Amino acid sequence: SSNPDIILMGLSFKDKKELEFVLELRKDVITQSIPILALIPKDDDTFKQNMKSLGFTDFMVKPLFKQPLLDKIHNLIEEYK
């Protein structure tokens, strides 16, 4: 019911419900164009390419550092406004 500027989502590489949730977000009129930043446990180009096709906008590898995370969020919000 809300209209967030960005969605941050932690991924485990194991839970298919996470992916189903992203598909639901992309089908919903309210959230279909909102950027989704996935927080992933390791850098895997094949995984990222597959997840982009499902609707993720970008990725960051955990552990996160405050300033790079804030910069990424700011850039994605500006890009999608």
Side-chain angles (χ1 to χ4, degrees):
S1 64
S2 66
N3 189 9
D5 291 326
I6 192 167
I7 297 168
L8 300 178
M9 188 171 173
L11 293 182
S12 63
F13 289 164
K14 297 175 185 175
D15 190 351
K16 292 191 187 274
K17 289 184 181 190
E18 298 166 346
L19 306 179
E20 292 170 4
F21 180 65
V22 171
L23 292 173
E24 288 177 32
L25 289 172
R26 290 303 179 219
K27 289 179 186 175
D28 188 316
V29 175
I30 294 172
T31 57
Q32 65 187 349
S33 64
I34 294 171
I36 301 173
L37 177 59
L39 311 176
I40 57 177
K42 66 180 181 176
D43 200 7
D44 181 329
D45 289 334
T46 302
F47 177 80
K48 291 191 294 188
Q49 189 174 31
N50 291 337
M51 295 304 102
K52 276 200 173 201
S53 68
L54 289 178
F56 286 96
T57 308
D58 207 345
F59 305 88
M60 289 190 78
V61 178
K62 299 182 271 186
L64 302 171
F65 298 96
K66 182 179 177 181
Q67 197 56 53
L69 176 60
L70 292 174
D71 292 344
K72 178 77 77 172
I73 289 170
H74 175 74
N75 291 338
L76 287 172
I77 290 171
E78 288 301 313
E79 185 178 318
Y80 282 87
K81 275 193 175 181

